[in-house]
Amino acid sequence: MQATSPKQSHAGHAEAHHEEPGFWSKYIFSTDHKIIGIQYGLTALTFLLFGFCLMLMMRWQIAHPGQPVPLVGPLLAKVLGGVAAGGVMSADLYNSFGAMHGTIMVFLAVVPLAFGAFGNYVVPLMIGAPDMAFPRVNMASYQAYVVGGIIMFVSFFIPGGAAQAGWTSYSPLATSIPTDGQTFWLVGMIFLITSSLLGAVNFIATIIQLRAPGMTWMRLPFFVWAQFVTGFLLLLAFPPLEAAGLMQLMDKVAGTSFFLPTGLAVGGQLADVSGGGSPLLWQHLFWFLGHPEVYVLILPAMGIVCEVISNNTRKQIWGYKSLVYSSLAIGFLSFIVWAHHMYLTGMGTKISTFFQTTTMIISIPSVIILTCFFISLWGGSIRFNTPMLFALAFLPMFGIGGLTGLPLGFSASDLHLHDTYYVIAHFHYVVAPGTIFALFAGIYYWFPKMTGRLMSEYWGRVHFWGSLIFMNVVFQPMFAQGMAGMIRRMADGGANYSLARVPDAIGGLSDTIMSLHTLILWGGIGLGLVQIPFIINVFWSIKHGRKVTSDNPWDATTLEWQTPTPPPHGNFAAEPTVHRGPYDYSLPGKAKDFTPQNEPDQGGKH
Amino acid sequence: MEIPYTAQPRKDTGLYNAKVGIWLFLASEVMLFGGLFSAYILLRVGATPGTWVHGLLNIPIGTFNTAVLITSSVTVVLSWAALKVGNFGRYRFYQAITILCALGFLGIKSFEYREKFSHYEVWLNQPVTVTRGGQEVQTDRLLGHIEYQGHHPAFWSTKTLAEKQVESFKFTPDPIHYKMTPKEMAHARKTAAGRKAEEFEFKAADVKRLSAFVPGHSTYFALYFTLTALHALHVLGGAVVIFYIWGPGAKMWKTDPERYTNRVEVSGLFWHFVDLVWIFLFPVLYLL
Amino acid sequence: MMEKLLGLPPLAAETGKGVDNLIIWIHWLMIALFIGWLAYFLYALWRFRRSRQPRADHIGVRSHASSYIELAVAGVEAVLLIFVAVPLWAKAVDKLPKESDATVIQVVAQQFAWNARYAGRDGVFGKQDMRLVSSDNSFGAVPDDPHGKDDVQVMNELHVPVNKPVICYISSKDVIHSFKVIAFRVTQDAIPGMRIPIWFKPTQEGRYQINCAQLCGNGHTSMSAGFVVVESQEAYDTWLESKAGGATVFE
Amino acid sequence: MSDHSHQDIAKHVKIYITVFVALLVGTIITVALNYLHFDSMALTIAIALFVATIKAALVACYFMHLISERKMIYLIMAFTVFFFIGLMFLTLGAHYDYPPNTTTL
Ligand code: HEA
Ligand code: HEA
Ligand code: CUA
Ligand SMILES: [Cu+2]
């Protein structure tokens, strides 16, 4: 490691050689991983907001079936036409919004944010690399994502509207719904899958090839490990869905029947298809991706939480090795648990036993990971700043979501809970107060590296406490609703199954259960309102936030903080050399309570 | 800092970046075709007995096309070997053969496709009597060709008959049907050889279903077209890349020969994979 | 107590008891873990806040007690899996009661209603042929089969006698639906091209709504018109008699 | 694989030609067997897939140099093949594990 002064001059020197690229090549067609990361981030956050707005309208509608949506109702009626006649969401529109909420949240918001944005921005910096291994592939990946996103977005406005068969797009429903939105969905998915595949190839190759000298596998920050496993999940689980997507597309446009059985009678008439297909084939191929995908959503989040916790407890993460092995185990096992989403297709005992067993086994590494995080708190010197608050809240929230996965994992208890709001609550606890909190933590944490300014701590706290409270107000009642038997994906929120409508039905939904809809609605509105300070905070702080006084404002050990702020093209002035593991905080005998990874053992040659 | 290991291998892995990249990409391709193969197997074992189409593809042409693809694969490695010893001319020669083979493969494939589009199966309301393997049989399903107003139309379906208000059309049945076992089909073909084919005139009202050999005909043809079209897209893509490196991209040979050779190797790896997929597709679709 | 706490809906089938028990036991595990860890978590946050603990201990916890917790979790899961969940499932899908001891019903879902078919007086279903399926012949019943003459075909209202096992063969005509009766703790996807048996033994007379639990199109919520009516054997017999032969109409 | 001597390459070329011939022969064998029409369909499928697997292995090992590749690549491909097999056999397993007579009406 050179002394600091030559480093600076070196950087200036390198810059003088490059002529300034123009706006387009700098911000739009950039091949720099940091710019691409930010592009991913902003696009994904926009989709996140959009996905949430869809859901807010839906929540309003199911709390007030048959009444026009306030404020946006007239707009919906004008833009979308018949499906929102009089500002009331029809069942078709509800189904569109539901399917697109799921699709957008998973494929257009959270994965691009967790993998595309944070992975792109942080991973090369963390491993001491100048860029991704294939910068142009990286750009292509982002562009494919944008194209996919545009196709999905446009599909709302075509006649018939967007896809309506749920984010799972089960055949034969997906093929029999008359809207072309279904076709748009498939084409959009093919672009998004391509984007993810290109990204995955790039990430894995980068992590294998571009680690700085001394950055051995066991010195990688856990975040990098998480992204590495995530990359493999995307790489190997997505292609079967792409294959399935192609087949469903053929069913839709070329009249084949990959997923349509013989003797299908839609609307009372035998369908004019050859038949001979299998609806379950689609489910297998979908969930073969679908389950690994949920770990794609959670692993990067765990990686972020790990970095933030270690940094703000000022101590090393407890059980680094078990974290690494657990995430590898999760990655491996996630490929062989998928059919726990299909128990109630009538699965036999042998296969269901297999999948129940693997499902239970895969919960163990998650337990280990969470345990490691919990234990890491012990003996720390905990700083409660905004990123840390979000990271800490992640733990019990993911805990609730993960634990409620267990009753779903047994086929016998799934019998009662399958396709109820219990499932909705289960996975939202993992993806919303879980993953999204971790992503918020990541934004607050790395914001100073990206911009050189800190976000407002005060408004950060408002954002945090508001989000924590309202997330729980939204999702906690859903457990009760699900346990009472309320089914998901109902455009009237289950009013048809309520005791109010059918008083003599045993097991109908009680007034209390139905009235929770109102509570959830207000929770959702509150949740939306507390995001406003966050959005303002992000944009305001870019220009007006408190300037950081050093390149390493959080006194962190990992390499991304050992670069200039924001890092220049090529990241490091000279190749860093790594001398130690990622979490050398509060080493006994050191004056500083952090020892960066690139600091030599003898205290350096300063 | 520049991106390292674009040409030279990294010490601990022994690999240059693009090689890791292409193998990862191939891994995902294995899963892509793997998904389709799984679909094939599941649909096939789940098919009602006697409904699985087989024996309708042109085996000699398929065999020839297999040979074409294998040849292109060997010329790829030979061209790479030539580059390794610095013989750019020989590289260009071999790779030119590769590209020609690729075009040849696609040409033959499109010819096969076209042939299928004007070949039909008809499902009849009342059985008719045809000669199969020297015997008269009653059947309500026939394979064969259509003649209508002197043309041999392609892509017709039951719907077309109504749309075009066809009253009747001429039908020349094949001597075989896929309900027969391979043995029976071979026998039927042999006995029918040289004989003048029977001809039928079917009224539109006699026809329950009519379908050309298009994806919608049956699960088998759905798989056949999806798999081979996807494969053909890969052939096309590979050929474009190889051509780009061979032609416009060849400048790099002067400036950075090592990286250029790597490019050739990487594109070659992709090409072999495409060949490898075909090695499975051929028996699965043509022979079984 | 736990039923109340979890808000499990009323149970009206013998076969659902096991399901409820499993749900309850697994929730005990979850609650124990949640409360235990949450208490630890809050305590740790309070005790190791910066103002109280200015410098961290690099290593932290040295004991490996947590491994025992992890092992215990794995152990409980294993026990529940092997001794409860798997046998329950085997009972649900493999150990169907004899058809002669049960009420046998064919159920075919369609957008957006439930069709049901009973064998009628002779106890034998008439022949079926998929090619005959049409809007007024949901089951593809072959018209001139003598066994079919007395078959009973109804829509949206299934009657079954109380305290006797019921076997339903669940299928669908068009898209995937799901046959769910909350109080019996049964759910089975109705998948076109497949016909899957389920069984339950209702113990309480009354009207039970059939929920369609799988998204099946824009009428998904209005598939709520289907009911299972559980009644005494006599009432059931009378009902069946009143429907016999009349319901299957072919034009 | 960057430091090859010219002899090495000459040796390689010989291998390539041999493999090429083997692949052609394999193709001919598969096609020829097909004309024999075994009575057992299972046998036909087994033989055809067996020959195809050998051919694929030849391409992978020699044309794609897998026979002398680095550990990292083996690792990646081993996982891939494992998951592919998982996908195929578990879907098949599920298919055969449904209660009897579920797929007929
Ligand atoms: C990030 C996403 C994510 C994650 C991590 C998980 C994790 C798990 N999921 Fe979930 N799941 C989804 C997303 C996710 N799931 C989605 C999106 C669906 C629905 C899809 C759809 O149908 O649309 C779904 C549906 C779903 C089903 C199907 C339900 C049905 O449709 O009927 C099942 C069934 O087995 C299941 C099981 C599990 C299990 C066993 C885990 C396990 O991995 C969980 C392991 C974790 C733990 C066991 C927690 C350990 C924590 C502690 C021990 C500490 C506790 C401490 C405190 C709380 C303080 N999930
Ligand atoms: C990653 C996945 C993800 C995420 C994060 C969410 C987040 C949320 N989801 Fe969603 N959901 C799904 C995936 C997800 N969901 C899926 C897969 C389904 C099933 C679909 C189907 O049935 O097919 C579903 C279904 C679903 C339903 C069931 C609908 C039904 O069955 O009828 C409900 C009901 O309340 C719901 C609600 C919510 C809510 C209130 C949030 C909230 O937590 C949202 C929180 C988000 C915000 C509050 C926005 C924050 C915005 C910003 C921070 C913007 C910043 C912008 C800039 C700086 C530019 N979701
Ligand atoms: Cu039928 Cu939902
Ligand atoms: Cu899952």
Side-chain angles (χ1 to χ4, degrees), chain D residues 67-87:
Chain D
I67 196 114
S68 56
E69 236 346 313
R70 303 290 160 162
K71 211 170 85 212
M72 184 65 70
I73 307 258
Y74 285 153
L75 219 60
I76 296 173
M77 291 327 274
F79 275 108
T80 310
V81 169
F82 179 83
F83 291 139
F84 167 51
I85 291 175
L87 170 64

Side-chain angles (χ1 to χ4, degrees), chain A residues 122-379:
Chain A
V122 179
V123 165
L125 293 171
M126 270 193 173
I127 63 175
D131 203 320
M132 284 286 181
F134 314 112
R136 262 183 298 175
V137 174
N138 206 9
M139 176 179 76
S141 160
Y142 174 69
Q143 286 164 349
Y145 161 58
V146 172
V147 174
I150 291 175
I151 292 175
M152 292 285 186
F153 184 73
V154 166
S155 73
F156 279 98
F157 306 103
I158 63 169
Q164 296 165 9
W167 80 294
T168 49
S169 198
Y170 278 7
S171 274
L173 180 62
T175 346
S176 71
I177 288 180
T179 174
D180 285 333
Q182 226 57 54
T183 313
F184 275 65
W185 187 88
L186 288 165
V187 177
M189 281 306 291
I190 287 171
F191 275 97
L192 295 177
I193 294 172
T194 309
S195 158
S196 290
L197 288 179
L198 295 177
V201 167
N202 214 345
F203 277 61
I204 301 172
T206 305
I207 296 171
I208 292 178
Q209 289 289 103
L210 302 192
R211 282 166 293 124
M215 183 61 95
T216 57
W217 288 101
M218 280 303 161
R219 282 180 180 167
L220 287 175
F222 179 63
F223 178 77
V224 178
W225 269 111
Q227 294 283 355
F228 186 66
V229 176
T230 306
F232 269 103
L233 297 183
L234 289 173
L235 185 78
L236 300 180
F238 245 140
L241 181 63
E242 187 160 28
L246 286 172
M247 288 190 272
Q248 202 175 65
L249 195 60
M250 292 289 282
D251 277 3
K252 192 84 187 153
V253 299
T256 59
S257 14
F258 284 110
F259 306 123
L260 310 178
T262 310
L264 206 61
V266 181
Q269 229 46 56
L270 268 191
D272 181 26
V273 291
S274 70
S278 159
L280 287 186
L281 174 62
W282 167 266
Q283 298 191 15
H284 280 298
L285 294 174
F286 182 88
W287 290 115
F288 186 81
L289 162 86
H291 190 85
E293 179 74 18
V294 309
Y295 290 98
V296 169
L297 300 174
I298 203 71
L299 279 171
M302 289 172 163
I304 295 172
V305 167
C306 183
E307 300 307 314
V308 174
I309 286 195
S310 179
N311 177 261
N312 288 303
T313 51
R314 315 303 299 159
K315 64 182 285 293
Q316 75 173 354
I317 274 296
W318 192 87
Y320 171 78
K321 273 206 183 128
S322 23
L323 279 181
V324 171
Y325 293 135
S326 296
S327 60
L328 289 173
I330 286 186
F332 183 80
L333 287 166
S334 68
F335 284 93
I336 48 173
V337 303
W338 78 82
H340 65 208
H341 297 269
M342 299 166 61
Y343 288 142
L344 298 184
T345 55
M347 193 174 279
T349 317
K350 290 193 215 76
I351 283 293
S352 89
T353 303
F354 176 86
F355 281 108
Q356 292 183 68
T357 310
T358 51
T359 302
M360 285 306 123
I361 296 177
I362 203 178
S363 71
I364 300 302
S366 304
V367 170
I368 295 179
I369 290 181
L370 233 74
T371 307
C372 287
F373 292 161
F374 276 127
I375 295 189
S376 297
L377 300 174
W378 195 267

